[in-house]
Amino acid sequence: MNAKTFSAFSAPPPHWVVDAAFGAELAARLLKFVLEREPVFADTTIGNTANKFVRKSVRSSRATQDFGDLRAEVEARFRARLPAAISRLGLAPFALKGLSMELAAHGDGDFYHRHIDTFVASGPPRPDRILTGVYYFHATPCGFTGGDLRLHSLRSADDGGSHVDIAPKNDRLLLFPAWAPHEVRPVSCPDRDFGQSRFAINCWYLGKSV
């Protein structure tokens, strides 16, 4: 392996952080929306569509795919970022087949260990997850600490790899390739109040390379 290749595998993956991404007004409406729907949030799962299961030793949080009347507006915001994201992240152009989204809440002690967002198991053909977008929103003042999203290099830390931590700031959008290893660092929320959770929209851009 030459020095250039070693450096590429040892550096954190490409990523784009956008502050004031969707606007304070939409962030506030999203917060109001999730607080009104706390009962529909359920334990998050791991695995592919055909084989999902809860494993709290790997992923601990709650989520819902219910966006109500906000879905179209939220999808439009994510779609609007796609052309710039492809350019900034150096992605190959791809035909967008749709978006897959969930609202996630991380409370006290919640986390998600290192993983990737692409599915590698065999199964029927389907659009691939090409790009991951994470939009953060929360109550102000913030009632939790921790919860950074850590992006890992392809090489492990023991083999010369590195990482970068992205803080979950209100109205911040993070975009990165779906193949990038990442994790959600543990959250501390002493009040154990759902309204003080680390809220995020996880969005996967689905498509096929062209």
Side-chain angles (χ1 to χ4, degrees), residues 33-51:
F33 179 84
V34 297
L35 296 183
E36 292 172 347
R37 284 163 173 75
E38 178 181 358
V40 307
F41 279 75
D43 288 338
T44 49
T45 60
I46 60 175
N48 59 31
T49 303
N51 185 27

Side-chain angles (χ1 to χ4, degrees), residues 21-207:
F22 290 178
E25 189 271 339
L26 179 53
R29 281 193 285 132
L30 283 165
L31 180 62
K32 181 176 184 292
F33 179 84
V34 297
L35 296 183
E36 292 172 347
R37 284 163 173 75
E38 178 181 358
V40 307
F41 279 75
D43 288 338
T44 49
T45 60
I46 60 175
N48 59 31
T49 303
N51 185 27
K52 292 183 177 181
F53 53 94
V54 174
R55 183 168 290 173
K56 284 186 172 290
S57 62
V58 175
R59 184 185 189 189
S60 177
S61 56
R62 288 189 284 168
T64 178
Q65 295 182 336
D66 175 13
F67 284 80
D69 294 338
L70 292 173
R71 175 171 288 275
E73 183 176 0
V74 171
E75 280 201 6
R77 300 295 181 100
F78 277 106
R79 287 174 180 270
R81 296 289 179 176
L82 181 57
I86 290 174
S87 175
R88 285 175 174 266
L89 301 179
L91 300 177
F94 67 95
L96 182 66
K97 300 297 185 182
L99 302 179
S100 175
M101 301 193 305
E102 68 178 12
L103 281 161
H106 285 76
D108 191 54
D110 286 342
F111 64 91
Y112 194 174
H113 284 327
R114 178 171 171 158
H115 64 285
I116 60 175
D117 287 343
T118 53
F119 293 130
V120 295
S122 60
R126 61 173 180 267
D128 297 321
R129 290 177 172 180
I130 305 294
L131 176 67
T132 296
V134 186
Y135 176 74
Y136 302 105
F137 62 99
H138 54 72
T140 53
C142 185
F144 68 88
T145 57
D148 288 1
L149 191 143
R150 177 168 291 181
L151 284 166
H152 292 273
S153 62
L154 294 178
R155 299 182 71 88
S156 69
D158 293 338
D159 196 25
S162 59
H163 67 262
V164 61
D165 289 343
I166 311 297
K169 293 184 178 181
N170 191 47
D171 196 24
R172 167 173 280 182
L173 174 64
L174 169 64
L175 296 129
F176 57 90
W179 52 256
H182 60 286
E183 64 175 297
V184 176
R185 302 293 294 163
V187 172
S188 176
C189 186
D191 289 345
R192 298 181 179 271
D193 178 358
F194 181 77
Q196 298 296 324
S197 298
R198 169 200 185 271
F199 294 109
I201 300 173
N202 297 320
C203 175
W204 297 283
Y205 295 77
L206 309 176

